[in-house]
Amino acid sequence: MTRRVVVIEGEDAAPEAMRPTLELVEQLGLDLEWQRPPVGAAAEQSHGSTFPDEARAAIDASDATLFGSTSGPSARALFYLRWGRGTYANVRPARWFPGCRSPLAEPHALDFVIVRENLEDLYVGVEGDLDELAGSNLWSRTAGRPISELGPGRFALKIISEAGTERVTRFAFELARRRKAEGGRGKVTSGTKHNMLSHSDGLFRQVAGRVAEDYPDIEYENFIVDDFAHRMIARPGELDVVVLPNLYGDILSDAAAALIGGLGLAPSGCYGNDYAYFESAHGTAPDIAGRDIINPTATILAAVMLLRYLEFNDAAESLEQAVTRVYAAGKALTPDQGGSASTREFCAAVAKRL
Ligand code: ATP
């Protein structure tokens, strides 16, 4: 059965990583069809909208999406992929392999996955002026004053729901179980700021602890998120699967990418109950756009995650192996990894090893 994948190239340097990635996947000869609906600035020109109905229909009719990063014009498509399709678990692996320029002296044991809750927390997009809260009875517990006395300012709402937390923590435990079956540590770590945010993060912690009881075969630990950040940098080898509320997950997964050697290496997959999309963890790298030097590894490894999701497991394995062999050889690396190869030269080296 032909699998349909929507491709959204994104902006700035993102297409420079996406295009050669698609060529590499094409080289694998899979029963896979790319769909390229109009999205972003070009769609605005041709259809009068950055995310026309036809693009939404293409996503709905597809098995998954491969997304290049966006600096804004493709954001409506991204919001639909996330909130419209309910992709609640953002999986961001941090795995070092030889040749990656890690700042750690001993990066060998670095192989963990951050599962970031993808839909809630401060990302529900409810912000406003403090004036709007003036008539409410809201009270600052820490300042010991009503909100109305805090003066002019703004607020953002942090939402942690029971159901949203349960599904993402369950996802993390299931992932830990699958990793354990393949030799993983069989551990889930969560990080919350429950000492300050006893209601919201406290609930996340409470639900995660309850879900943990259903997985006696998986070790579970929780840390205050600042302590977790320190542990992640100081002893990353002790981690396996990490589950975090949205904002902490967003920030700490970029820090995790730095541990393995930089944003250019870190892929990401966002999974819902019936849909998933894949992208690099980095942004559009506008400062290096047009120079053919963006490291496409994150995008290629996102494609590897896509292929696994579509159950093209052997192909995924081949592509991943080809990438790791290029790093092991160390001859065709991009500037962010200390090399002088262009994006295209790196991809040609991967293609040769496929
Ligand atoms: P956004 O707001 O979309 O995240 P940004 O510019 O803040 O965009 P990134 O695009 O992730 O963040 O870039 C941060 C820095 O990392 C930039 O200097 C960029 O060039 C560099 N960078 C990001 N991705 C890569 C990559 N794949 N290869 C090389 N350098 C990269």
Side-chain angles (χ1 to χ4, degrees):
M1 189 180 61
T2 305
R3 302 301 214 129
R4 282 194 196 163
V5 176
V6 165
V7 175
I8 298 171
E9 287 190 346
E11 285 92 38
D12 302 324
E16 295 167 44
M18 180 66 84
R19 287 171 197 157
T21 297
L22 298 182
E23 285 170 20
L24 287 170
V25 175
E26 277 159 16
Q27 199 179 322
L28 295 164
L30 305 170
D31 193 2
L32 213 164
E33 193 182 293
W34 305 127
Q35 308 266 310
R36 293 164 176 277
V39 168
E44 175 90 76
Q45 291 277 318
S46 57
H47 292 68
S49 160
T50 56
F51 187 50
D53 290 348
E54 140 180 14
R56 175 192 290 235
I59 290 172
D60 289 344
S62 70
D63 294 291
T65 290
L66 192 56
F67 192 87
S69 305
T70 180
S71 57
S74 304
R76 281 186 58 207
L78 184 65
F79 288 177
Y80 182 66
L81 287 166
R82 201 177 288 183
W83 285 276
R85 299 304 315 231
T87 48
Y88 62 88
N90 182 357
V91 174
R92 296 186 163 192
R95 183 168 76 89
W96 180 84
F97 42 89
C100 296
R101 212 182 189 190
S102 169
L104 299 181
E106 280 299 324
H108 301 84
L110 240 171
D111 179 8
F112 65 94
V113 181
I114 292 184
V115 179
R116 161 193 171 195
E117 198 290 317
N118 212 26
L119 306 178
E120 302 191 339
D121 197 350
L122 284 163
Y123 293 68
V124 293
V126 183
E127 295 183 283
D129 289 326
L130 279 181
D131 284 353
E132 295 171 46
L133 303 179
S136 71
N137 292 325
L138 287 173
W139 188 271
S140 165
R141 218 168 359 116
T142 45
R145 284 194 286 160
I147 288 291
S148 54
E149 284 180 16
L150 296 182
R154 312 252 166 100
F155 70 89
L157 209 59
K158 174 176 166 110
I159 301 277
I160 302 284
S161 80
E162 219 166 311
T165 306
E166 160 131 19
R167 66 186 173 184
V168 78
T169 47
R170 214 165 266 291
F171 185 101
F173 276 95
E174 290 293 330
L175 178 61
R177 214 172 237 179
R178 285 202 300 281
R179 282 168 63 90
K180 190 175 182 185
E182 290 165 10
R185 291 180 190 86
K187 181 160 96 169
V188 171
T189 306
S190 71
T192 45
K193 191 75 188 169
H194 51 273
N195 50 338
M196 286 302 289
L197 303 168
S198 54
H199 261 59
S200 49
D201 278 20
L203 179 67
F204 194 98
R205 179 172 181 249
Q206 192 188 324
V207 171
R210 203 169 62 213
V211 169
E213 288 171 14
D214 293 341
Y215 295 84
D217 51 322
I218 303 296
E219 191 189 331
Y220 172 64
E221 58 189 12
N222 167 269
F223 299 107
I224 292 177
V225 70
D226 30 354
D227 180 22
F228 169 76
H230 176 267
R231 286 167 187 270
M232 187 185 88
I233 308 287
R235 293 193 293 282
E238 292 176 5
L239 299 173
D240 181 16
V241 175
V242 177
V243 64
L244 295 167
N246 206 340
L247 180 66
Y248 311 141
D250 191 6
I251 296 168
L252 289 168
S253 53
D254 269 31
L259 288 179
I260 54 171
L263 285 170
L265 303 171
S268 150
C270 299
Y271 301 80
N273 289 333
D274 57 7
Y275 201 76
Y277 74 93
F278 300 85
E279 61 180 342
S280 65
H282 61 75
T284 60
D287 52 334
I288 55 169
R291 293 173 55 197
D292 192 28
I293 57 163
I294 185 169
N295 187 345
T297 305
T299 308
I300 298 171
L301 295 181
V304 167
M305 292 175 81
L306 162 82
L307 294 179
R308 291 216 166 96
Y309 175 71
L310 297 177
E311 295 179 350
F312 292 123
N313 292 326
D314 292 346
E317 197 63 30
S318 305
L319 185 52
E320 191 172 46
Q321 291 276 326
V323 170
T324 53
R325 274 192 249 126
V326 171
Y327 276 89
K331 290 200 184 109
L333 304 185
T334 46
D336 60 303
Q337 296 303 306
S340 57
S342 68
T343 308
R344 272 179 248 235
E345 284 163 348
F346 174 87
C347 289
V350 176
K352 217 165 78 184
R353 287 168 174 81
L354 266 183

